[in-house]
Amino acid sequence: RIDAVGSRGVVLEEREGSESGRRSVMAKRVITCAGLQSDYVARSGGGGSQNPMIAPFRGAWLTVKDEYVDMVKTNIYPVPDPRLPFLGVHITPTMNNELLLGPNATLAFQREGYRYRDINIAETLRTLAHPGMLKIARKHMVTGMHEIYRDFITSANLGRLQKYIPSLTGDHIKGWKCGVRAIAIDQNGILDEFIIEEGVPGRVMHVRNAPSPACTASLQIAEEVVNKAEHFGFFSG
């Protein structure tokens, strides 16, 4: 978090698992790219606005047994449904010789909630009480319940995946892995645009939202970050 901003620079405080692991770093200028913690960091002393809020969404992939990873040779993506906020399941062969099937999308119950038993009640209540989150819940409640059901019932998940791999069965499945996606939300719902804002003038800048395809567009995003930093006076004085 940003602990203080003074005439000498910006003080950053990093917590490494415990109070005893806390340390501070001084920097003349800071660009934050904090992912799941981006809204907290922006508001912690760096002049960031209240919105967007980050809502953590958990995505789980099924993994395929080693002897079956060659059943798919390339990426398979569905045609996106414009009525839904996420792309949907897709089939992904990886560079380390895995085959990933998914992901789904369910609300995580804490910022790093990689398992359903990872729960932070205060964080979850703040997320659910946000006006934008309430709108998303009302609009996509049925879809969300289906996603949770498929997360627990592998056969239901397989039924969706078999549209793309008809020969897929439960015998092919090895296990699962998951990640948590940082979804930026304002009062109207999910934000799809990139958000880079100035915190403390000339000192702190925040990358508040970098949605898909952030990795694919990483070089262009880096160029935009540099242009914004120049616009905010980071390279003067």
Side-chain angles (χ1 to χ4, degrees), residues 69-107:
V69 295
D70 291 334
M71 66 191 303
V72 174
K73 300 292 187 180
T74 189
N75 294 310
I76 301 174
Y77 281 79
V79 176
D81 187 337
R83 298 170 299 175
L84 301 177
F86 299 111
L87 174 62
V89 297
H90 38 280
I91 317 302
T92 309
T94 70
M95 295 294 292
N96 60 341
N97 203 35
E98 287 186 304
L99 183 59
L100 303 181
L101 313 176
N104 63 352
T106 60
L107 183 67

PDB file of all heavy atoms in Angstrom, residues 69-107:
ATOM      1  N   VAL A  69      -3.512 -35.227 -23.626  1.00  0.00           N
ATOM      2  CA  VAL A  69      -3.362 -33.799 -23.920  1.00  0.00           C
ATOM      3  C   VAL A  69      -3.288 -33.529 -25.421  1.00  0.00           C
ATOM      4  O   VAL A  69      -3.579 -32.409 -25.873  1.00  0.00           O
ATOM      5  CB  VAL A  69      -2.131 -33.201 -23.211  1.00  0.00           C
ATOM      6  CG1 VAL A  69      -2.311 -33.237 -21.708  1.00  0.00           C
ATOM      7  CG2 VAL A  69      -0.846 -33.911 -23.630  1.00  0.00           C
ATOM      8  N   ASP A  70      -2.919 -34.524 -26.232  1.00  0.00           N
ATOM      9  CA  ASP A  70      -2.801 -34.316 -27.677  1.00  0.00           C
ATOM     10  C   ASP A  70      -4.130 -34.441 -28.408  1.00  0.00           C
ATOM     11  O   ASP A  70      -4.172 -34.333 -29.642  1.00  0.00           O
ATOM     12  CB  ASP A  70      -1.811 -35.324 -28.273  1.00  0.00           C
ATOM     13  CG  ASP A  70      -0.372 -35.058 -27.843  1.00  0.00           C
ATOM     14  OD1 ASP A  70      -0.079 -33.887 -27.526  1.00  0.00           O
ATOM     15  OD2 ASP A  70       0.432 -36.005 -27.804  1.00  0.00           O
ATOM     16  N   MET A  71      -5.224 -34.625 -27.660  1.00  0.00           N
ATOM     17  CA  MET A  71      -6.518 -34.759 -28.327  1.00  0.00           C
ATOM     18  C   MET A  71      -6.965 -33.430 -28.955  1.00  0.00           C
ATOM     19  O   MET A  71      -7.822 -33.408 -29.838  1.00  0.00           O
ATOM     20  CB  MET A  71      -7.577 -35.279 -27.355  1.00  0.00           C
ATOM     21  CG  MET A  71      -7.940 -34.346 -26.217  1.00  0.00           C
ATOM     22  SD  MET A  71      -8.952 -35.151 -24.934  1.00  0.00           S
ATOM     23  CE  MET A  71     -10.343 -35.739 -25.878  1.00  0.00           C
ATOM     24  N   VAL A  72      -6.372 -32.331 -28.493  1.00  0.00           N
ATOM     25  CA  VAL A  72      -6.641 -31.020 -29.087  1.00  0.00           C
ATOM     26  C   VAL A  72      -5.300 -30.362 -29.394  1.00  0.00           C
ATOM     27  O   VAL A  72      -4.421 -30.302 -28.533  1.00  0.00           O
ATOM     28  CB  VAL A  72      -7.466 -30.126 -28.135  1.00  0.00           C
ATOM     29  CG1 VAL A  72      -7.610 -28.724 -28.712  1.00  0.00           C
ATOM     30  CG2 VAL A  72      -8.836 -30.725 -27.899  1.00  0.00           C
ATOM     31  N   LYS A  73      -5.137 -29.851 -30.599  1.00  0.00           N
ATOM     32  CA  LYS A  73      -3.855 -29.307 -31.036  1.00  0.00           C
ATOM     33  C   LYS A  73      -3.798 -27.789 -31.009  1.00  0.00           C
ATOM     34  O   LYS A  73      -2.728 -27.196 -31.105  1.00  0.00           O
ATOM     35  CB  LYS A  73      -3.556 -29.784 -32.471  1.00  0.00           C
ATOM     36  CG  LYS A  73      -3.461 -31.297 -32.629  1.00  0.00           C
ATOM     37  CD  LYS A  73      -2.248 -31.852 -31.922  1.00  0.00           C
ATOM     38  CE  LYS A  73      -2.072 -33.332 -32.234  1.00  0.00           C
ATOM     39  NZ  LYS A  73      -0.895 -33.912 -31.548  1.00  0.00           N
ATOM     40  N   THR A  74      -4.947 -27.137 -30.916  1.00  0.00           N
ATOM     41  CA  THR A  74      -4.956 -25.685 -30.989  1.00  0.00           C
ATOM     42  C   THR A  74      -6.052 -25.129 -30.090  1.00  0.00           C
ATOM     43  O   THR A  74      -6.875 -25.878 -29.550  1.00  0.00           O
ATOM     44  CB  THR A  74      -5.183 -25.230 -32.439  1.00  0.00           C
ATOM     45  OG1 THR A  74      -4.979 -23.807 -32.538  1.00  0.00           O
ATOM     46  CG2 THR A  74      -6.598 -25.557 -32.903  1.00  0.00           C
ATOM     47  N   ASN A  75      -6.058 -23.826 -29.915  1.00  0.00           N
ATOM     48  CA  ASN A  75      -7.080 -23.183 -29.091  1.00  0.00           C
ATOM     49  C   ASN A  75      -8.452 -23.289 -29.751  1.00  0.00           C
ATOM     50  O   ASN A  75      -8.575 -23.143 -30.973  1.00  0.00           O
ATOM     51  CB  ASN A  75      -6.748 -21.703 -28.870  1.00  0.00           C
ATOM     52  CG  ASN A  75      -5.494 -21.500 -28.060  1.00  0.00           C
ATOM     53  OD1 ASN A  75      -5.342 -22.085 -26.999  1.00  0.00           O
ATOM     54  ND2 ASN A  75      -4.593 -20.680 -28.556  1.00  0.00           N
ATOM     55  N   ILE A  76      -9.467 -23.534 -28.927  1.00  0.00           N
ATOM     56  CA  ILE A  76     -10.855 -23.544 -29.400  1.00  0.00           C
ATOM     57  C   ILE A  76     -11.639 -22.544 -28.552  1.00  0.00           C
ATOM     58  O   ILE A  76     -11.693 -22.665 -27.325  1.00  0.00           O
ATOM     59  CB  ILE A  76     -11.494 -24.942 -29.277  1.00  0.00           C
ATOM     60  CG1 ILE A  76     -10.697 -25.969 -30.082  1.00  0.00           C
ATOM     61  CG2 ILE A  76     -12.942 -24.899 -29.748  1.00  0.00           C
ATOM     62  CD1 ILE A  76     -11.187 -27.397 -29.896  1.00  0.00           C
ATOM     63  N   TYR A  77     -12.227 -21.550 -29.215  1.00  0.00           N
ATOM     64  CA  TYR A  77     -12.978 -20.506 -28.516  1.00  0.00           C
ATOM     65  C   TYR A  77     -14.426 -20.501 -29.003  1.00  0.00           C
ATOM     66  O   TYR A  77     -14.681 -20.711 -30.192  1.00  0.00           O
ATOM     67  CB  TYR A  77     -12.365 -19.131 -28.775  1.00  0.00           C
ATOM     68  CG  TYR A  77     -11.148 -18.843 -27.939  1.00  0.00           C
ATOM     69  CD1 TYR A  77      -9.906 -19.366 -28.277  1.00  0.00           C
ATOM     70  CD2 TYR A  77     -11.244 -18.053 -26.798  1.00  0.00           C
ATOM     71  CE1 TYR A  77      -8.784 -19.103 -27.514  1.00  0.00           C
ATOM     72  CE2 TYR A  77     -10.124 -17.779 -26.024  1.00  0.00           C
ATOM     73  CZ  TYR A  77      -8.900 -18.309 -26.383  1.00  0.00           C
ATOM     74  OH  TYR A  77      -7.801 -18.051 -25.615  1.00  0.00           O
ATOM     75  N   PRO A  78     -15.363 -20.227 -28.118  1.00  0.00           N
ATOM     76  CA  PRO A  78     -16.760 -20.098 -28.546  1.00  0.00           C
ATOM     77  C   PRO A  78     -17.009 -18.723 -29.152  1.00  0.00           C
ATOM     78  O   PRO A  78     -16.206 -17.792 -28.984  1.00  0.00           O
ATOM     79  CB  PRO A  78     -17.533 -20.246 -27.229  1.00  0.00           C
ATOM     80  CG  PRO A  78     -16.608 -19.654 -26.210  1.00  0.00           C
ATOM     81  CD  PRO A  78     -15.213 -20.023 -26.662  1.00  0.00           C
ATOM     82  N   VAL A  79     -18.116 -18.589 -29.860  1.00  0.00           N
ATOM     83  CA  VAL A  79     -18.576 -17.267 -30.268  1.00  0.00           C
ATOM     84  C   VAL A  79     -19.149 -16.583 -29.023  1.00  0.00           C
ATOM     85  O   VAL A  79     -20.044 -17.131 -28.374  1.00  0.00           O
ATOM     86  CB  VAL A  79     -19.651 -17.361 -31.366  1.00  0.00           C
ATOM     87  CG1 VAL A  79     -20.184 -15.977 -31.716  1.00  0.00           C
ATOM     88  CG2 VAL A  79     -19.082 -18.051 -32.601  1.00  0.00           C
ATOM     89  N   PRO A  80     -18.629 -15.426 -28.630  1.00  0.00           N
ATOM     90  CA  PRO A  80     -19.107 -14.790 -27.386  1.00  0.00           C
ATOM     91  C   PRO A  80     -20.591 -14.456 -27.437  1.00  0.00           C
ATOM     92  O   PRO A  80     -21.113 -14.073 -28.488  1.00  0.00           O
ATOM     93  CB  PRO A  80     -18.254 -13.506 -27.310  1.00  0.00           C
ATOM     94  CG  PRO A  80     -17.072 -13.767 -28.186  1.00  0.00           C
ATOM     95  CD  PRO A  80     -17.560 -14.668 -29.282  1.00  0.00           C
ATOM     96  N   ASP A  81     -21.243 -14.619 -26.310  1.00  0.00           N
ATOM     97  CA  ASP A  81     -22.637 -14.217 -26.164  1.00  0.00           C
ATOM     98  C   ASP A  81     -22.655 -12.784 -25.638  1.00  0.00           C
ATOM     99  O   ASP A  81     -22.243 -12.542 -24.496  1.00  0.00           O
ATOM    100  CB  ASP A  81     -23.352 -15.154 -25.175  1.00  0.00           C
ATOM    101  CG  ASP A  81     -24.851 -14.881 -25.105  1.00  0.00           C
ATOM    102  OD1 ASP A  81     -25.271 -13.760 -25.437  1.00  0.00           O
ATOM    103  OD2 ASP A  81     -25.591 -15.793 -24.686  1.00  0.00           O
ATOM    104  N   PRO A  82     -23.084 -11.813 -26.422  1.00  0.00           N
ATOM    105  CA  PRO A  82     -23.032 -10.406 -25.992  1.00  0.00           C
ATOM    106  C   PRO A  82     -23.904 -10.105 -24.778  1.00  0.00           C
ATOM    107  O   PRO A  82     -23.747  -9.057 -24.149  1.00  0.00           O
ATOM    108  CB  PRO A  82     -23.512  -9.638 -27.236  1.00  0.00           C
ATOM    109  CG  PRO A  82     -24.317 -10.626 -28.018  1.00  0.00           C
ATOM    110  CD  PRO A  82     -23.664 -11.958 -27.765  1.00  0.00           C
ATOM    111  N   ARG A  83     -24.794 -11.016 -24.423  1.00  0.00           N
ATOM    112  CA  ARG A  83     -25.658 -10.794 -23.259  1.00  0.00           C
ATOM    113  C   ARG A  83     -24.933 -11.104 -21.949  1.00  0.00           C
ATOM    114  O   ARG A  83     -25.411 -10.727 -20.878  1.00  0.00           O
ATOM    115  CB  ARG A  83     -26.908 -11.664 -23.354  1.00  0.00           C
ATOM    116  CG  ARG A  83     -27.796 -11.381 -24.560  1.00  0.00           C
ATOM    117  CD  ARG A  83     -28.856 -12.452 -24.696  1.00  0.00           C
ATOM    118  NE  ARG A  83     -28.254 -13.767 -24.904  1.00  0.00           N
ATOM    119  CZ  ARG A  83     -28.935 -14.905 -24.956  1.00  0.00           C
ATOM    120  NH1 ARG A  83     -30.261 -14.864 -24.804  1.00  0.00           N
ATOM    121  NH2 ARG A  83     -28.318 -16.059 -25.152  1.00  0.00           N
ATOM    122  N   LEU A  84     -23.792 -11.801 -22.040  1.00  0.00           N
ATOM    123  CA  LEU A  84     -23.072 -12.248 -20.849  1.00  0.00           C
ATOM    124  C   LEU A  84     -21.770 -11.480 -20.691  1.00  0.00           C
ATOM    125  O   LEU A  84     -21.156 -11.070 -21.679  1.00  0.00           O
ATOM    126  CB  LEU A  84     -22.789 -13.751 -20.933  1.00  0.00           C
ATOM    127  CG  LEU A  84     -24.019 -14.653 -21.064  1.00  0.00           C
ATOM    128  CD1 LEU A  84     -23.585 -16.104 -21.223  1.00  0.00           C
ATOM    129  CD2 LEU A  84     -24.937 -14.491 -19.857  1.00  0.00           C
ATOM    130  N   PRO A  85     -21.323 -11.287 -19.447  1.00  0.00           N
ATOM    131  CA  PRO A  85     -20.117 -10.475 -19.212  1.00  0.00           C
ATOM    132  C   PRO A  85     -18.810 -11.205 -19.460  1.00  0.00           C
ATOM    133  O   PRO A  85     -17.757 -10.571 -19.483  1.00  0.00           O
ATOM    134  CB  PRO A  85     -20.262 -10.092 -17.736  1.00  0.00           C
ATOM    135  CG  PRO A  85     -21.058 -11.196 -17.120  1.00  0.00           C
ATOM    136  CD  PRO A  85     -22.007 -11.644 -18.184  1.00  0.00           C
ATOM    137  N   PHE A  86     -18.834 -12.548 -19.640  1.00  0.00           N
ATOM    138  CA  PHE A  86     -17.600 -13.302 -19.824  1.00  0.00           C
ATOM    139  C   PHE A  86     -17.649 -14.091 -21.131  1.00  0.00           C
ATOM    140  O   PHE A  86     -18.719 -14.363 -21.680  1.00  0.00           O
ATOM    141  CB  PHE A  86     -17.373 -14.258 -18.649  1.00  0.00           C
ATOM    142  CG  PHE A  86     -17.253 -13.542 -17.328  1.00  0.00           C
ATOM    143  CD1 PHE A  86     -18.241 -13.671 -16.362  1.00  0.00           C
ATOM    144  CD2 PHE A  86     -16.166 -12.730 -17.064  1.00  0.00           C
ATOM    145  CE1 PHE A  86     -18.142 -13.008 -15.151  1.00  0.00           C
ATOM    146  CE2 PHE A  86     -16.052 -12.063 -15.855  1.00  0.00           C
ATOM    147  CZ  PHE A  86     -17.040 -12.197 -14.895  1.00  0.00           C
ATOM    148  N   LEU A  87     -16.475 -14.484 -21.605  1.00  0.00           N
ATOM    149  CA  LEU A  87     -16.361 -15.165 -22.886  1.00  0.00           C
ATOM    150  C   LEU A  87     -17.017 -16.536 -22.872  1.00  0.00           C
ATOM    151  O   LEU A  87     -17.634 -16.954 -23.849  1.00  0.00           O
ATOM    152  CB  LEU A  87     -14.872 -15.304 -23.255  1.00  0.00           C
ATOM    153  CG  LEU A  87     -14.542 -16.127 -24.497  1.00  0.00           C
ATOM    154  CD1 LEU A  87     -15.155 -15.491 -25.735  1.00  0.00           C
ATOM    155  CD2 LEU A  87     -13.021 -16.259 -24.659  1.00  0.00           C
ATOM    156  N   GLY A  88     -16.879 -17.265 -21.789  1.00  0.00           N
ATOM    157  CA  GLY A  88     -17.361 -18.640 -21.733  1.00  0.00           C
ATOM    158  C   GLY A  88     -16.202 -19.616 -21.777  1.00  0.00           C
ATOM    159  O   GLY A  88     -15.032 -19.229 -21.840  1.00  0.00           O
ATOM    160  N   VAL A  89     -16.513 -20.909 -21.735  1.00  0.00           N
ATOM    161  CA  VAL A  89     -15.452 -21.919 -21.690  1.00  0.00           C
ATOM    162  C   VAL A  89     -14.718 -21.957 -23.027  1.00  0.00           C
ATOM    163  O   VAL A  89     -15.289 -21.703 -24.087  1.00  0.00           O
ATOM    164  CB  VAL A  89     -16.013 -23.313 -21.356  1.00  0.00           C
ATOM    165  CG1 VAL A  89     -16.624 -23.320 -19.977  1.00  0.00           C
ATOM    166  CG2 VAL A  89     -17.015 -23.778 -22.399  1.00  0.00           C
ATOM    167  N   HIS A  90     -13.419 -22.258 -22.950  1.00  0.00           N
ATOM    168  CA  HIS A  90     -12.633 -22.481 -24.152  1.00  0.00           C
ATOM    169  C   HIS A  90     -11.577 -23.545 -23.870  1.00  0.00           C
ATOM    170  O   HIS A  90     -11.322 -23.890 -22.718  1.00  0.00           O
ATOM    171  CB  HIS A  90     -12.006 -21.190 -24.682  1.00  0.00           C
ATOM    172  CG  HIS A  90     -11.507 -20.247 -23.638  1.00  0.00           C
ATOM    173  ND1 HIS A  90     -12.344 -19.395 -22.937  1.00  0.00           N
ATOM    174  CD2 HIS A  90     -10.262 -19.999 -23.171  1.00  0.00           C
ATOM    175  CE1 HIS A  90     -11.635 -18.668 -22.091  1.00  0.00           C
ATOM    176  NE2 HIS A  90     -10.367 -19.022 -22.217  1.00  0.00           N
ATOM    177  N   ILE A  91     -10.994 -24.059 -24.920  1.00  0.00           N
ATOM    178  CA  ILE A  91     -10.048 -25.175 -24.822  1.00  0.00           C
ATOM    179  C   ILE A  91      -8.654 -24.636 -25.107  1.00  0.00           C
ATOM    180  O   ILE A  91      -8.421 -24.027 -26.160  1.00  0.00           O
ATOM    181  CB  ILE A  91     -10.389 -26.287 -25.839  1.00  0.00           C
ATOM    182  CG1 ILE A  91     -11.906 -26.543 -25.884  1.00  0.00           C
ATOM    183  CG2 ILE A  91      -9.600 -27.539 -25.525  1.00  0.00           C
ATOM    184  CD1 ILE A  91     -12.531 -26.926 -24.570  1.00  0.00           C
ATOM    185  N   THR A  92      -7.721 -24.850 -24.170  1.00  0.00           N
ATOM    186  CA  THR A  92      -6.413 -24.207 -24.266  1.00  0.00           C
ATOM    187  C   THR A  92      -5.273 -25.196 -24.063  1.00  0.00           C
ATOM    188  O   THR A  92      -5.003 -25.619 -22.929  1.00  0.00           O
ATOM    189  CB  THR A  92      -6.294 -23.078 -23.224  1.00  0.00           C
ATOM    190  OG1 THR A  92      -7.425 -22.209 -23.307  1.00  0.00           O
ATOM    191  CG2 THR A  92      -5.012 -22.284 -23.428  1.00  0.00           C
ATOM    192  N   PRO A  93      -4.559 -25.569 -25.121  1.00  0.00           N
ATOM    193  CA  PRO A  93      -3.291 -26.286 -24.941  1.00  0.00           C
ATOM    194  C   PRO A  93      -2.234 -25.280 -24.468  1.00  0.00           C
ATOM    195  O   PRO A  93      -2.149 -24.172 -25.006  1.00  0.00           O
ATOM    196  CB  PRO A  93      -2.964 -26.800 -26.349  1.00  0.00           C
ATOM    197  CG  PRO A  93      -4.200 -26.588 -27.167  1.00  0.00           C
ATOM    198  CD  PRO A  93      -4.924 -25.454 -26.545  1.00  0.00           C
ATOM    199  N   THR A  94      -1.433 -25.641 -23.489  1.00  0.00           N
ATOM    200  CA  THR A  94      -0.462 -24.708 -22.921  1.00  0.00           C
ATOM    201  C   THR A  94       0.955 -25.040 -23.357  1.00  0.00           C
ATOM    202  O   THR A  94       1.239 -26.128 -23.868  1.00  0.00           O
ATOM    203  CB  THR A  94      -0.525 -24.723 -21.381  1.00  0.00           C
ATOM    204  OG1 THR A  94       0.001 -25.971 -20.900  1.00  0.00           O
ATOM    205  CG2 THR A  94      -1.954 -24.559 -20.891  1.00  0.00           C
ATOM    206  N   MET A  95       1.868 -24.100 -23.101  1.00  0.00           N
ATOM    207  CA  MET A  95       3.267 -24.281 -23.464  1.00  0.00           C
ATOM    208  C   MET A  95       3.943 -25.382 -22.636  1.00  0.00           C
ATOM    209  O   MET A  95       4.954 -25.938 -23.042  1.00  0.00           O
ATOM    210  CB  MET A  95       4.028 -22.965 -23.290  1.00  0.00           C
ATOM    211  CG  MET A  95       3.568 -21.863 -24.234  1.00  0.00           C
ATOM    212  SD  MET A  95       3.922 -22.228 -25.966  1.00  0.00           S
ATOM    213  CE  MET A  95       5.704 -22.128 -25.972  1.00  0.00           C
ATOM    214  N   ASN A  96       3.404 -25.652 -21.445  1.00  0.00           N
ATOM    215  CA  ASN A  96       4.006 -26.693 -20.598  1.00  0.00           C
ATOM    216  C   ASN A  96       3.269 -28.033 -20.721  1.00  0.00           C
ATOM    217  O   ASN A  96       3.245 -28.833 -19.792  1.00  0.00           O
ATOM    218  CB  ASN A  96       4.049 -26.241 -19.135  1.00  0.00           C
ATOM    219  CG  ASN A  96       2.679 -25.953 -18.578  1.00  0.00           C
ATOM    220  OD1 ASN A  96       1.732 -25.750 -19.326  1.00  0.00           O
ATOM    221  ND2 ASN A  96       2.563 -25.914 -17.259  1.00  0.00           N
ATOM    222  N   ASN A  97       2.646 -28.233 -21.888  1.00  0.00           N
ATOM    223  CA  ASN A  97       2.042 -29.520 -22.249  1.00  0.00           C
ATOM    224  C   ASN A  97       0.871 -29.912 -21.353  1.00  0.00           C
ATOM    225  O   ASN A  97       0.710 -31.073 -20.976  1.00  0.00           O
ATOM    226  CB  ASN A  97       3.102 -30.642 -22.247  1.00  0.00           C
ATOM    227  CG  ASN A  97       2.692 -31.823 -23.113  1.00  0.00           C
ATOM    228  OD1 ASN A  97       2.063 -31.637 -24.150  1.00  0.00           O
ATOM    229  ND2 ASN A  97       3.025 -33.032 -22.683  1.00  0.00           N
ATOM    230  N   GLU A  98       0.040 -28.938 -21.041  1.00  0.00           N
ATOM    231  CA  GLU A  98      -1.235 -29.198 -20.379  1.00  0.00           C
ATOM    232  C   GLU A  98      -2.362 -28.898 -21.358  1.00  0.00           C
ATOM    233  O   GLU A  98      -2.177 -28.186 -22.348  1.00  0.00           O
ATOM    234  CB  GLU A  98      -1.406 -28.328 -19.129  1.00  0.00           C
ATOM    235  CG  GLU A  98      -0.561 -28.727 -17.957  1.00  0.00           C
ATOM    236  CD  GLU A  98      -0.911 -27.913 -16.725  1.00  0.00           C
ATOM    237  OE1 GLU A  98      -0.861 -26.666 -16.801  1.00  0.00           O
ATOM    238  OE2 GLU A  98      -1.239 -28.508 -15.697  1.00  0.00           O
ATOM    239  N   LEU A  99      -3.536 -29.426 -21.061  1.00  0.00           N
ATOM    240  CA  LEU A  99      -4.739 -29.083 -21.804  1.00  0.00           C
ATOM    241  C   LEU A  99      -5.781 -28.620 -20.797  1.00  0.00           C
ATOM    242  O   LEU A  99      -6.213 -29.390 -19.936  1.00  0.00           O
ATOM    243  CB  LEU A  99      -5.255 -30.290 -22.598  1.00  0.00           C
ATOM    244  CG  LEU A  99      -6.485 -30.045 -23.487  1.00  0.00           C
ATOM    245  CD1 LEU A  99      -6.204 -28.955 -24.517  1.00  0.00           C
ATOM    246  CD2 LEU A  99      -6.918 -31.331 -24.179  1.00  0.00           C
ATOM    247  N   LEU A 100      -6.151 -27.339 -20.878  1.00  0.00           N
ATOM    248  CA  LEU A 100      -7.075 -26.730 -19.929  1.00  0.00           C
ATOM    249  C   LEU A 100      -8.450 -26.581 -20.560  1.00  0.00           C
ATOM    250  O   LEU A 100      -8.574 -26.139 -21.709  1.00  0.00           O
ATOM    251  CB  LEU A 100      -6.561 -25.359 -19.492  1.00  0.00           C
ATOM    252  CG  LEU A 100      -5.164 -25.316 -18.867  1.00  0.00           C
ATOM    253  CD1 LEU A 100      -4.808 -23.891 -18.475  1.00  0.00           C
ATOM    254  CD2 LEU A 100      -5.077 -26.252 -17.661  1.00  0.00           C
ATOM    255  N   LEU A 101      -9.477 -26.939 -19.801  1.00  0.00           N
ATOM    256  CA  LEU A 101     -10.861 -26.879 -20.253  1.00  0.00           C
ATOM    257  C   LEU A 101     -11.618 -25.920 -19.347  1.00  0.00           C
ATOM    258  O   LEU A 101     -11.895 -26.209 -18.189  1.00  0.00           O
ATOM    259  CB  LEU A 101     -11.505 -28.271 -20.199  1.00  0.00           C
ATOM    260  CG  LEU A 101     -10.691 -29.431 -20.782  1.00  0.00           C
ATOM    261  CD1 LEU A 101     -11.433 -30.748 -20.562  1.00  0.00           C
ATOM    262  CD2 LEU A 101     -10.400 -29.222 -22.256  1.00  0.00           C
ATOM    263  N   GLY A 102     -11.990 -24.782 -19.842  1.00  0.00           N
ATOM    264  CA  GLY A 102     -12.700 -23.793 -19.035  1.00  0.00           C
ATOM    265  C   GLY A 102     -12.233 -22.395 -19.416  1.00  0.00           C
ATOM    266  O   GLY A 102     -11.713 -22.192 -20.512  1.00  0.00           O
ATOM    267  N   PRO A 103     -12.420 -21.409 -18.537  1.00  0.00           N
ATOM    268  CA  PRO A 103     -12.903 -21.534 -17.168  1.00  0.00           C
ATOM    269  C   PRO A 103     -14.388 -21.219 -17.047  1.00  0.00           C
ATOM    270  O   PRO A 103     -15.016 -20.749 -17.983  1.00  0.00           O
ATOM    271  CB  PRO A 103     -12.095 -20.442 -16.461  1.00  0.00           C
ATOM    272  CG  PRO A 103     -12.023 -19.340 -17.495  1.00  0.00           C
ATOM    273  CD  PRO A 103     -11.904 -20.051 -18.822  1.00  0.00           C
ATOM    274  N   ASN A 104     -14.910 -21.477 -15.855  1.00  0.00           N
ATOM    275  CA  ASN A 104     -16.216 -20.942 -15.506  1.00  0.00           C
ATOM    276  C   ASN A 104     -16.004 -19.565 -14.866  1.00  0.00           C
ATOM    277  O   ASN A 104     -14.899 -19.028 -14.896  1.00  0.00           O
ATOM    278  CB  ASN A 104     -16.969 -21.891 -14.567  1.00  0.00           C
ATOM    279  CG  ASN A 104     -16.249 -22.060 -13.240  1.00  0.00           C
ATOM    280  OD1 ASN A 104     -15.124 -21.600 -13.053  1.00  0.00           O
ATOM    281  ND2 ASN A 104     -16.887 -22.728 -12.303  1.00  0.00           N
ATOM    282  N   ALA A 105     -17.031 -18.994 -14.292  1.00  0.00           N
ATOM    283  CA  ALA A 105     -16.888 -17.685 -13.633  1.00  0.00           C
ATOM    284  C   ALA A 105     -17.866 -17.604 -12.470  1.00  0.00           C
ATOM    285  O   ALA A 105     -19.079 -17.558 -12.673  1.00  0.00           O
ATOM    286  CB  ALA A 105     -17.154 -16.559 -14.631  1.00  0.00           C
ATOM    287  N   THR A 106     -17.327 -17.615 -11.250  1.00  0.00           N
ATOM    288  CA  THR A 106     -18.153 -17.479 -10.054  1.00  0.00           C
ATOM    289  C   THR A 106     -17.515 -16.450  -9.126  1.00  0.00           C
ATOM    290  O   THR A 106     -16.289 -16.292  -9.123  1.00  0.00           O
ATOM    291  CB  THR A 106     -18.291 -18.823  -9.306  1.00  0.00           C
ATOM    292  OG1 THR A 106     -16.983 -19.279  -8.907  1.00  0.00           O
ATOM    293  CG2 THR A 106     -18.931 -19.873 -10.188  1.00  0.00           C
ATOM    294  N   LEU A 107     -18.328 -15.774  -8.359  1.00  0.00           N
ATOM    295  CA  LEU A 107     -17.809 -14.777  -7.426  1.00  0.00           C
ATOM    296  C   LEU A 107     -16.955 -15.450  -6.365  1.00  0.00           C
ATOM    297  O   LEU A 107     -17.378 -16.427  -5.740  1.00  0.00           O
ATOM    298  CB  LEU A 107     -18.962 -14.021  -6.765  1.00  0.00           C
ATOM    299  CG  LEU A 107     -18.559 -12.898  -5.803  1.00  0.00           C
ATOM    300  CD1 LEU A 107     -17.895 -11.757  -6.553  1.00  0.00           C
ATOM    301  CD2 LEU A 107     -19.785 -12.399  -5.034  1.00  0.00           C
TER     302      LEU A 107
END
